[in-house]
Amino acid sequence: MSLIEISNFIGGEYGPAQSKRVIENTDPSTGTVYSTLPRSESVDIDRAVIAAKKAFPQWAKTTYEERSEILIKIAEGIEQRLNVLAAAESRDQGKPVWLAETVDIPRAAQNFRFFAGQILFQQDEAHDLSGKGFNFSVRKPVGVGGLISPWNLPLYLLTWKIAPALACGNTVVCKPSEVTPMTAFLLCDILKEAGVPAGVVNMVFGLGAEAGDALVRHPDVPLISFTGGTTTGKHLSSAAAPRIKKLSLELGGKNSNIIFADANLDEVVQTTLRSSFLNQGEICLCGSRIFVEQSIYKNFLEKFVTETRKLKVGDPKKSENFLGALASQVHFDKVRSYVALALVEGGHIETGLEEISLSKEHEKGFYMRPTIITGLKTSCRVLQEEIFGPVVTVVPFDSEDEVIEMSNSVEYGLAASLWTNDIRRVHRLARQLEVGTLWVNTWMMRDLRTPFGGMKMSGLGREGGVHSLEFFTDVTNVCIKY
Ligand code: NAD
């Protein structure tokens, strides 16, 4: 089988890394290499930044309406290729095709539609200085943005950065995850067809420590938008600091589901299945610590385990499979090591160790059954560290104060789901839980205008609606004396 060759896209042209070196890309559903991507280095990043700098003055001069129209055309291009992109995303990442078709790819198109509208309604400030003068703000694009994205929702998270960056008049150099490069590569043709001028979006593939690091340190890239792990985020903070770059960090999480006895148990169980195991648990917002009020703990656990055992795992192309494969061998090994650690820490595996029946084609894929652990203390590593896979731990609690303390006991602060019908409790917990997003009786609902992001080690800055437009622009305040 010949391998698909992914190319860089710089200044509107496709091409290899200057060194001609490549990285192999594995299909996690079969464990076989099916494509290669350029192993780009600083010299390739330099070329891309030069192309982006050259394209910047002209793109920055386009009107909001012109940019908005182009963004709509990109959205249409994604929608027209929905099936191709969904199949590509599934093959790169291991997720079920049905999930890519119904969530990832439509949401990627929606990102462009959303910012196509948002940019037309941007408002700037003006203030009269008590009759003595007049202040107003001028917003302008920042320049060349460096956009670095992870592998779990590859096209969705990359376009969540490209769309607002372009809407605000910036040009960009993107460094998608080396684990899932395919949809970013396919996006380049869509950008061309939509009329995005050469150099406005450049795609450079490669390893984080090489291409990614070169982008973060580049003196002509004043802005970095990063989504990925907290360890990488810390590294980026120090790499970007000497040049005081604009930096947005969307990092890891260790989210909690807090379930009180007054919640609707059937609804809780169904949503908790999704919030635990959707996309193999590889969504930064998945809840991996499930805290249940003591009086319903046994009942909840029984139902949750029964329903989890019914979830099918296997070939991502088959619509009956709720879970596909984990994204890579390295990640698979890491997630499984936490199941082994749970046993060392004194935990009990309620479900997850049963065998998975796989076809010959898929037996080398990175499959794992959804796993539920009990019997652990919140201070255990399994309950403190991000696992980012289909592994959750269920822990009982006795009081509101105790569960707040348990939920806040981690270094992360991304999200939590609260299950209760007591409105006063909702208000109390919203003030005390250290999270950027709190869902009440639901999970993963979000208006794209709301400020999204994490507290503590889960990130820096907020994205969404005007928050993204603020990040991707610089502002000059002008003061005129009457
Ligand atoms: P990662 O940090 O390993 O990689 C993310 C990106 O950073 C990749 O493109 C990688 O090549 C690049 N990179 C790695 N080292 C780099 C370096 N030294 N300099 C510059 N770039 C570098 O993360 P991952 O494993 O791809 O993604 C999973 C993580 O992402 C999880 O921790 C998850 O919680 C997090 N995540 C967070 C959000 C959010 O919105 N907060 C969303 C999705 C994923």
Side-chain angles (χ1 to χ4, degrees):
M1 189 187 70
S2 63
L3 300 181
I4 302 169
E5 285 176 33
I6 290 174
S7 314
N8 284 338
F9 181 69
I10 298 176
E13 302 291 333
Y14 291 101
Q18 188 170 295
S19 68
K20 302 276 195 304
R21 289 205 295 168
V22 295
I23 303 166
E24 289 184 335
N25 183 26
T26 300
D27 173 348
S29 76
T30 60
T32 51
V33 173
Y34 82 102
S35 80
T36 62
L37 57 142
R39 184 167 170 175
S40 308
E41 291 166 294
S42 61
V43 57
D44 304 294
I45 292 288
D46 284 347
R47 280 185 50 228
V49 174
I50 289 169
K53 266 184 88 174
K54 191 167 160 219
F56 176 69
Q58 205 55 37
W59 180 250
K61 264 190 230 148
T62 51
T63 62
Y64 291 147
E65 287 78 9
E66 284 166 330
R67 283 183 233 146
S68 176
E69 273 173 33
I70 288 186
L71 294 194
I72 294 284
K73 285 191 188 139
I74 301 172
E76 288 168 351
I78 293 173
E79 284 153 359
Q80 280 154 16
R81 289 176 179 77
L82 177 101
N83 294 338
V84 174
L85 289 165
E89 178 130 324
S90 165
R91 198 172 185 192
D92 250 7
Q93 202 265 346
K95 70 181 69 207
V97 172
W98 64 259
L99 182 60
E101 273 174 2
T102 53
V103 178
D104 298 57
I105 308 304
R107 283 197 177 192
Q110 177 63 13
N111 286 341
F112 286 103
R113 287 198 182 279
F114 175 78
F115 283 107
Q118 183 84 37
I119 192 66
L120 298 178
F121 299 98
Q122 192 187 5
Q123 291 185 347
D124 296 317
E125 290 182 52
H127 304 278
D128 175 66
L129 263 167
S130 308
K132 291 187 225 123
F134 181 61
N135 264 202
F136 65 96
S137 311
V138 185
R139 286 215 163 261
K140 35 202 157 181
V142 182
V144 178
L147 312 182
I148 304 179
S149 54
W151 51 254
N152 63 321
L153 305 165
L155 192 64
Y156 172 58
L157 290 174
L158 182 61
T159 53
W160 180 242
K161 300 178 186 305
I162 296 177
L166 261 51
C168 293
N170 303 282
T171 57
V172 296
V173 176
C174 308
K175 210 303 282 169
S177 169
E178 60 275 28
V179 181
T180 51
M182 192 56 88
T183 44
F185 176 56
L186 295 175
L187 180 68
C188 299
D189 261 2
I190 296 172
L191 297 170
K192 259 189 162 182
E193 279 172 30
V196 177
V200 170
V201 178
N202 304 275
M203 208 68 78
V204 184
F205 297 96
L207 300 175
E210 296 173 0
D213 187 68
L215 183 56
V216 174
R217 292 179 194 278
H218 202 292
D220 292 335
V221 178
L223 169 153
I224 297 290
S225 172
F226 172 80
T227 303
T230 294
T231 307
T232 316
K234 284 189 214 167
H235 180 81
L236 250 76
S237 284
S238 61
R243 293 197 174 264
I244 323 282
K245 297 192 175 201
K246 281 193 106 174
L247 188 61
S248 162
L249 299 174
E250 295 290 352
L251 308 177
K254 189 74 183 173
N255 311 310
S256 55
N257 293 13
I258 302 173
I259 304 167
F260 282 92
D262 65 337
N264 175 329
L265 199 58
D266 290 331
E267 207 184 331
V268 174
V269 170
Q270 286 312 314
T271 307
T272 307
L273 286 174
R274 289 178 57 245
S275 71
S276 303
F277 305 124
L278 193 71
N279 204 40
Q280 303 73 242
E282 296 164 333
I283 300 179
C284 57
L285 302 167
C286 278
S288 59
R289 297 179 299 149
I290 302 173
F291 300 124
V292 187
E293 195 164 8
Q294 190 66 261
S295 60
I296 58 158
Y297 175 78
K298 211 167 149 255
N299 199 2
F300 168 83
L301 187 64
E302 207 173 282
K303 287 189 184 200
F304 185 45
V305 170
T306 305
E307 293 303 311
T308 298
R309 286 203 180 117
K310 290 184 195 160
L311 298 177
K312 292 198 168 137
V313 184
D315 183 357
K317 292 198 270 315
K318 291 199 174 152
S319 57
E320 70 261 29
N321 287 328
F322 189 77
L323 289 89
L326 270 69
S328 68
Q329 177 80 60
V330 173
H331 189 59
F332 182 58
D333 293 343
K334 177 193 143 183
V335 175
R336 287 202 311 179
S337 76
Y338 276 100
V339 179
L341 177 65
L343 292 172
V344 174
E345 291 187 317
H348 174 70
I349 313 291
E350 300 283 343
T351 183
L353 300 178
E354 305 86 352
E355 218 169 279
I356 307 167
S357 109
L358 294 165
S359 67
K360 186 133 194 67
E361 186 193 356
H362 296 99
E363 64 190 13
K364 294 215 170 76
F366 313 133
Y367 298 95
M368 206 179 147
R369 282 209 57 78
T371 304
I372 300 173
I373 303 167
T374 53
L376 289 179
K377 292 208 166 65
T378 41
S379 55
C380 286
R381 278 183 58 205
V382 168
L383 274 152
Q384 290 290 317
E385 298 174 15
E386 185 185 44
I387 301 175
F388 211 51
V391 180
V392 297
T393 308
V394 188
V395 181
F397 67 85
D398 287 313
S399 69
E400 197 174 295
D401 285 345
E402 185 192 17
V403 78
I404 291 168
E405 200 183 315
M406 283 155 110
S407 181
N408 289 345
S409 72
V410 291
E411 61 179 17
Y412 297 104
L414 195 53
S417 301
L418 169 61
W419 290 88
T420 181
N421 282 311
D422 180 344
I423 189 69
R424 288 189 289 189
R425 176 182 282 152
V426 173
H427 282 279
R428 285 195 299 271
L429 267 72
R431 287 174 185 281
Q432 294 178 76
L433 291 173
E434 295 163 351
V435 290
T437 298
L438 176 65
W439 286 287
V440 181
N441 299 329
T442 186
W443 177 68
M444 275 279 266
M445 263 181 115
R446 178 158 74 100
D447 186 307
L448 296 182
R449 289 167 294 193
T450 51
F452 175 81
M455 288 182 183
K456 295 154 81 176
M457 302 286 260
S458 286
L460 187 68
R462 289 291 179 271
E463 295 181 350
V466 292
H467 314 282
S468 293
L469 298 188
E470 274 180 15
F471 177 69
F472 283 107
T473 49
D474 267 336
V475 64
T476 301
N477 289 310
V478 183
C479 184
I480 305 172
K481 189 165 183 254
Y482 286 142

